[in-house]
Amino acid sequence: MASDGLLKKGDMSGALEKLEKVITANPMDTETLKKMAEIFDSKNLISHAIQNLEEAKAINPKDTSVLKKLGEIYLKKEDYLNAKSNYESAL
């Protein structure tokens, strides 16, 4: 994926732009939503990361990688109830 090359170069804005085009063409692409969430998380844009992961969770509620990452991000946000809920769902 073109965004991977941009990420390796440290061009997070360029990678996000490419990923947004992918998600516009295929809104059910959970892998793209997860990549976008990782970028937002690395930029400390927690609410955007949560939004992308919640969308991915709505598409595939049994994706343990999404649930674990949501737990991690909610923990960063000090939203312990949602963190616990997502971590437990991942088990």
Side-chain angles (χ1 to χ4, degrees):
M1 182 175 280
S3 63
D4 292 336
L6 292 169
L7 285 173
K8 286 180 184 174
K9 292 179 183 177
D11 184 0
M12 291 187 200
S13 296
L16 269 175
E17 188 177 309
K18 296 280 185 196
L19 292 168
E20 285 171 359
K21 288 179 182 176
V22 171
I23 211 64
T24 298
N26 183 6
M28 304 295 279
D29 186 345
T30 59
E31 293 303 314
T32 298
L33 288 167
K34 289 190 280 188
K35 281 186 182 182
M36 290 174 72
E38 286 178 29
I39 294 169
F40 286 131
D41 183 31
S42 72
K43 295 176 96 173
N44 207 32
L45 297 170
I46 301 300
S47 61
H48 292 300
I50 289 171
Q51 179 182 347
N52 285 126
L53 290 169
E54 288 289 356
E55 287 178 34
K57 180 180 166 183
I59 295 165
N60 184 2
K62 295 182 188 269
D63 185 334
T64 57
S65 66
V66 169
L67 296 168
K68 287 177 187 176
K69 189 66 178 175
L70 266 170
E72 177 185 315
I73 291 177
Y74 277 123
L75 194 59
K76 280 185 186 180
K77 190 179 175 188
E78 298 181 358
D79 183 343
Y80 302 115
L81 187 61
N82 277 317
K84 181 182 178 205
S85 173
N86 280 286
Y87 278 134
E88 287 176 347
S89 294
L91 298 176

